[in-house]
Amino acid sequence: MELLDGRKVSKAIKEGIKSEVDKYIAKGFRAPHLVAVLVGDDPASKFYVKSKMKSCEQVGFKSTNMSIDKSVSQGELLEIVENLNNNDDVDGYIVQLPLPKHLDVNKILEAISPEKDVDGFHPVNMGKLILGLDTFVPATPLGILEIIKSYDIQTSGKDVVVVGRSNIVGKPISICLSQKGYPGDSTVTIVHSRTDNIEEKLKSADIIIAAIGQPKFVKEHMVKAGAVVIDVGINRVEDQTKKSGYALVGDVDFENVASKCSYITPVPGGVGLMTVTALIINTLKSYKKKYESTK
Ligand code: GUN
């Protein structure tokens, strides 16, 4: 069994990006700029945004954290989005999810300019993903693809089972891995809360991607010997032995599953770190597009 080390892969990608950014700056261009819009004070969202900002700093990007009061109206948030669309100093931005219940998340995401939608959540970008056109692949699926590439994991002809059908992970990663080319050419099954015989389907998988947000859902008896297991879950569970009172665990019962796998991602230290790095990849892509179009 080999660990898929998100920290190592992220570090290598970020070093490459930093040296690209340094070259742009040396030529007199401004730094790439990512903005995160954070509505309210959800602790998990605050943590994620902070780590996104920290990664920007590490690669020489400018970053702005726009903290907005949770009472913001739909109209006010749409105005903030519109201003970001029109701000030439901003290459990409994200609206951190989840949003407070009174806001219409789909309307907000649709208002983001597809050219600056580095999360890849806009319907136009999702549509391009399905068609195999150049787009911003959403951060978590892109992070998974980068890990697969980095460890040269074979995907062609493999049976992949994706656990969870969310718009941000399950659906897009299933599309990516069934596309032609590498990483792709897989036969993908999505399983979810209404699927019969989940265990049997998992047992037949060469590659399992677990993204349902249920602590330790994937157990040892559900995994084929030699399978590749990619764990997207980051769940807080009570743990009085920790100073914080909780521990982070994935959607996979790592302790019991790991020895059966050929490769597995740890939690933390796996996909979570890659997700932030993927956002940096998308922001650089947006920045480069802008300069390439003005050459
Ligand atoms: N909340 C959980 N994951 C994500 C993500 O990738 N992007 C945004 N904007 N919000 C999230």
Side-chain angles (χ1 to χ4, degrees):
M1 183 278 288
E2 189 176 348
L3 274 186
L4 297 169
D5 186 346
R7 199 174 305 276
K8 196 167 89 184
V9 179
S10 284
K11 187 164 178 272
I13 293 174
K14 281 196 210 158
E15 278 167 8
I17 290 178
K18 171 92 173 66
S19 64
E20 270 197 73
V21 171
D22 287 346
K23 280 184 202 145
Y24 278 103
I25 308 269
K27 282 187 200 156
F29 292 109
R30 67 162 174 81
H33 183 192
L34 173 71
V35 176
V37 179
L38 175 64
V39 182
D41 47 19
D42 174 64
S45 293
K46 269 172 128 169
F47 172 81
Y48 292 133
V49 166
K50 206 170 142 197
S51 62
K52 288 167 185 177
M53 302 292 102
K54 189 174 152 212
S55 285
C56 283
E57 204 179 291
Q58 287 167 344
V59 297
F61 285 11
K62 178 177 170 187
S63 66
T64 305
N65 177 1
M66 286 182 77
S67 283
I68 313 289
D69 193 88
K70 61 177 177 296
S71 65
V72 70
S73 70
Q74 177 87 3
E76 285 164 341
L77 189 55
L78 284 170
E79 206 176 306
I80 290 167
V81 163
E82 197 50 38
N83 287 337
L84 289 166
N85 288 344
N86 295 327
N87 185 345
D88 275 343
D89 182 49
V90 175
D91 300 296
Y93 69 98
I94 62 155
V95 176
Q96 186 66 25
L97 304 179
L99 287 173
K101 295 249 176 316
H102 68 278
L103 298 167
D104 182 339
V105 62
N106 289 324
K107 287 225 170 75
I108 302 291
L109 294 180
E110 278 178 40
I112 296 174
S113 160
E115 284 79 32
K116 293 189 178 184
D117 169 39
V118 284
D119 257 334
F121 292 167
H122 191 283
V124 165
N125 287 327
M126 283 286 181
K128 285 184 173 179
L129 187 81
I130 291 180
L131 295 171
L133 300 174
D134 185 45
T135 185
F136 296 113
V137 176
T140 304
L142 182 57
I144 294 170
L145 298 176
E146 291 294 332
I147 280 211
I148 288 175
K149 281 198 289 186
S150 173
Y151 284 84
D152 201 22
I153 290 168
Q154 294 311 296
T155 55
S156 178
K158 301 294 182 196
D159 287 322
V160 175
V161 174
V162 176
V163 190
R165 52 181 163 180
S166 69
N167 288 340
I168 44 185
V169 188
K171 282 187 208 167
I173 193 63
S174 67
I175 296 293
C176 293
L177 287 173
S178 52
Q179 301 275 20
K180 281 190 179 166
Y182 180 75
D185 288 330
S186 303
T187 305
V188 181
T189 304
I190 304 182
V191 300
H192 48 74
S193 55
R194 297 287 177 272
T195 301
D196 284 338
N197 302 325
I198 286 194
E199 298 192 3
E200 248 169 61
K201 290 179 173 72
L202 279 170
K203 188 98 208 201
S204 72
D206 301 307
I207 301 173
I208 293 173
I209 299 178
I212 39 162
Q214 285 193 34
K216 302 189 182 187
F217 176 85
V218 177
K219 302 274 193 301
E220 185 191 359
H221 69 278
M222 306 175 191
V223 178
K224 179 166 86 176
V228 175
V229 175
I230 296 179
D231 190 352
V232 179
I234 304 177
N235 308 292
R236 278 184 184 201
V237 293
E238 212 177 282
D239 185 342
Q240 292 311 330
T241 68
K242 298 268 192 287
K243 209 169 118 196
S244 59
Y246 67 87
L248 292 179
V249 300
D251 290 350
V252 176
D253 182 8
F254 183 89
E255 286 79 20
N256 297 307
V257 168
S259 61
K260 260 189 130 172
C261 305
S262 55
Y263 294 95
I264 185 166
T265 55
V267 176
V271 174
L273 294 169
M274 291 304 301
T275 296
V276 179
T277 300
L279 186 64
I280 300 290
I281 295 175
N282 279 346
T283 305
L284 183 67
K285 180 173 174 163
S286 176
Y287 171 85
K288 282 161 81 171
K289 261 198 184 150
K290 188 184 277 174
Y291 285 117
E292 272 153 26
S293 69
T294 56
K295 253 188 216 163

